[in-house]
Amino acid sequence: MERVVDRENMRQAYRRVLRNRGAAGVDGMSIEALGTWLKAHWPHVRKALLEGRYLPQAVRRVDIPKPDGGVRTLGVPTVMDRLIQQALHQVLQPIFEPMFSASSFGFRPGRGAHDAVRQAHAYVQGGRHWVVDLDLEKFFDRVNHDVLMARVARQVQDLRVLKLIRRFLEAGVMADGLVRARTEGTPQGGPLSPLLSNILLTDLDRHLEARGLAFCRYADDCNIYVSSQRAGERVMASTRAYLEKALRLVVNEAKSKVAKPGTRKFLGYRIATRLEEAHIGIAPQSIERLMQRVRELMRQGRGQSLAHTIQRLNPLLRGWANYFSLSVQHKRMRNLDGWLRRRLRCLLWRQWKRPRTCERHLLAQGLDPERAWRSSVNGRGPWWNAGASHMQQAFPNAWFQRLGLVSIHETVVRLQRIH
């Protein structure tokens, strides 16, 4: 605990919490107000931590819709509790990090989703053409506190730290002004939860390694790669039994499956084999999710200038392209670029509304008067016109490039050349 409340450790934690921003907790204190509050109250908080008396406040419940249905429940701690969790994380992570598996990639320094996908690709390329896709049912809501704390206590002997972690786990959840006690689960939303999830699931990693299995785990998302369906069924059954008995976790039967990797989604990607070659592609659900988000932004941009809409789209497109830069589906990404430009042309046509306005804009873009007039009165809808040759001639790809529209395909190609 002395290392947790060390001045330099707390200073680093404070800077990290400020950088991460985030909403206020149940006490309503903002990130901006934290510094002033600490100047007056930190000595009392520090004393309470050192004496093992500090009591975290309840977390504020926030439900986030999942892309595949349902909701993900986040627990937003107060900024003070986030600061203490971050300080704990900075002391605990170097202790546990050397003990984590080389096949664990989530929430670890120097590792990420791309590393996990590359490792999965190597397994499939090496001949493991079946995957045991494990989905843990409501993992963060179902973590057993006693099982988790027993694993933390293997490396942490300071009872003050152990008591504080358990208090964070047991802090109530506030929703609609009422606080509900919690007897299981580690709420997503605090800096400590990802580390605690890795501490607990390291036992699963060691179990799989002892059996000589090839696997990739990113937080609670675990894929095991095997050479046959029969082997996959055996691994699924034995791993399910281990999780339920040793870690008291439940496998979601509906979402878990033994299948070909090309039919399953792993971290938004899918790995398909073609002529004995494994290829990294983008899962259809990831593409549909992007298209749905673009549609939402387009609807919001109907009353805005096209330049403003593009400005709002670009961070989404750039982030998506960066994340999926491992994909070799160049034709699919070119098609996405084309679809996006058509959506923007459609937005223009909708904004013009009347044939005379359409004609005026087409003339301004260099179409001859006869063609501009015929195109404006063709009686077709905005989507048809957006894909027609008159709109493509008036607003070619280069026109959108001059407006600064991010190209998904060009971004991915550039990143792949760098790497």
Side-chain angles (χ1 to χ4, degrees):
M1 186 59 77
E2 281 74 13
R3 291 170 59 192
V4 171
V5 300
D6 173 76
R7 185 180 184 85
E8 184 55 34
N9 187 58
M10 292 304 304
R11 186 173 288 155
Q12 290 178 18
Y14 177 72
R15 285 197 291 263
R16 179 62 67 87
V17 169
L18 283 184
R19 190 161 62 245
N20 290 345
R21 307 295 301 167
V26 296
D27 62 355
M29 186 193 299
S30 66
I31 290 288
E32 292 75 17
L34 178 60
T36 303
W37 190 91
L38 284 171
K39 288 177 182 176
H41 298 92
W42 172 243
H44 302 290
V45 174
R46 184 178 185 277
K47 190 170 186 289
L49 287 167
L50 288 171
E51 293 176 358
R53 296 184 291 101
Y54 184 82
L55 294 175
Q57 296 190 62
V59 297
R60 182 169 61 85
R61 175 174 170 164
V62 178
D63 291 330
I64 307 294
K66 287 185 178 180
D68 53 355
V71 294
R72 175 177 286 108
T73 299
L74 301 183
V76 180
T78 65
V79 291
M80 187 63 228
D81 285 343
R82 289 211 293 276
L83 176 66
I84 295 170
Q85 285 195 35
Q86 180 61 39
L88 273 169
H89 183 278
Q90 290 167 186
V91 171
L92 294 176
Q93 186 171 48
I95 296 172
F96 286 96
E97 179 64 28
M99 302 167 191
F100 291 157
S101 168
S103 296
S104 165
F105 297 91
F107 309 116
R108 296 182 61 192
R111 288 168 166 257
H114 282 187
D115 301 305
V117 173
R118 288 191 189 99
Q119 183 65 71
H121 172 258
Y123 288 147
V124 179
Q125 183 64 38
R128 296 178 174 88
H129 293 163
W130 288 85
V131 62
V132 180
D133 187 358
L134 284 171
D135 184 277
L136 298 178
E137 189 170 297
K138 296 184 177 179
F139 169 74
F140 284 94
D141 297 332
R142 297 280 178 84
V143 169
N144 182 283
H145 292 172
D146 292 335
V147 173
L148 171 57
M149 290 308 302
R151 276 126 188 99
V152 176
R154 290 172 183 171
Q155 303 301 323
V156 178
Q157 281 74 48
D158 191 327
L159 292 179
R160 297 166 300 178
V161 171
L162 294 174
K163 284 168 63 177
L164 181 59
I165 294 173
R166 184 175 276 275
R167 283 170 180 167
F168 275 122
L169 291 173
E170 294 177 348
V173 179
M174 178 176 282
D176 301 321
L178 298 175
V179 176
R180 177 175 57 84
R182 187 170 62 234
T183 57
E184 62 179 2
T186 170
Q188 297 182 75
L192 205 53
S193 292
L195 176 62
L196 294 177
S197 70
N198 274 334
I199 292 171
L200 178 64
L201 291 174
T202 291
D203 275 24
L204 170 63
D205 299 341
R206 297 304 176 211
H207 171 77
L208 297 176
E209 287 170 348
R211 298 184 57 194
L213 294 169
F215 69 96
C216 296
R217 183 177 65 78
Y218 191 96
D220 60 326
D221 197 346
C222 184
N223 277 6
I224 308 167
Y225 295 88
V226 295
S227 55
S228 70
Q229 183 176 11
R230 181 176 293 180
E233 299 292 353
R234 286 199 304 269
V235 169
M236 174 70 86
S238 60
T239 306
R240 183 194 299 114
Y242 173 81
L243 286 165
E244 291 175 355
K245 183 178 180 181
L247 301 182
R248 301 190 195 175
L249 296 171
V250 178
V251 172
N252 188 322
E253 300 290 346
K255 294 184 178 180
S256 300
K257 195 172 182 181
V258 177
K260 291 283 189 178
T263 66
R264 304 298 289 177
K265 174 169 66 77
F266 181 53
L267 301 176
Y269 284 90
R270 69 173 179 179
I271 301 168
T273 50
R274 203 166 51 245
L275 301 175
E276 297 303 312
E277 285 288 321
H279 299 276
I280 299 175
I282 307 169
Q285 302 96 311
S286 301
I287 294 171
E288 180 53 41
R289 199 175 304 154
L290 171 70
M291 295 173 75
Q292 186 57 40
R293 183 69 186 123
V294 167
R295 292 186 190 103
E296 291 170 5
L297 288 173
M298 292 287 192
R299 281 194 293 271
Q300 296 168 13
R302 285 183 183 174
Q304 307 287 337
S305 70
L306 200 69
H308 182 267
T309 300
I310 288 173
Q311 192 176 13
R312 293 193 65 194
L313 281 171
N314 277 346
L316 169 68
L317 302 176
R318 195 176 291 112
W320 196 88
N322 283 332
Y323 184 78
F324 288 104
S325 60
L326 296 184
S327 172
V328 296
Q329 291 177 294
H330 293 282
K331 182 179 179 181
R332 189 71 183 91
M333 285 182 268
R334 283 193 294 268
N335 289 342
L336 273 174
D337 280 337
W339 173 82
L340 184 65
R341 288 189 294 267
R342 185 172 180 179
R343 294 286 311 186
L344 289 168
R345 293 185 186 107
C346 180
L347 183 62
L348 282 175
W349 195 271
R350 287 183 186 278
Q351 288 177 339
W352 297 338
K353 294 181 181 178
R354 297 180 181 181
R356 185 170 295 180
T357 310
C358 294
E359 181 184 9
R360 187 172 72 250
H361 282 285
L362 292 174
L363 284 170
Q365 291 300 120
L367 265 65
D368 64 77
E370 175 70 14
R371 190 176 185 203
W373 175 74
R374 287 187 178 279
S375 299
S376 67
V377 296
N378 62 35
R380 304 276 192 163
W383 183 246
W384 185 91
N385 277 285
S389 59
H390 55 268
M391 282 295 282
Q392 293 189 39
Q393 182 181 333
F395 301 95
N397 297 354
W399 187 84
F400 290 102
Q401 192 173 7
R402 285 194 296 273
L403 278 181
L405 179 66
V406 167
S407 164
I408 291 173
H409 180 248
E410 289 178 10
T411 303
V412 167
V413 169
R414 185 172 65 253
L415 289 169
Q416 289 178 345
R417 282 175 184 160
I418 293 171
H419 298 300

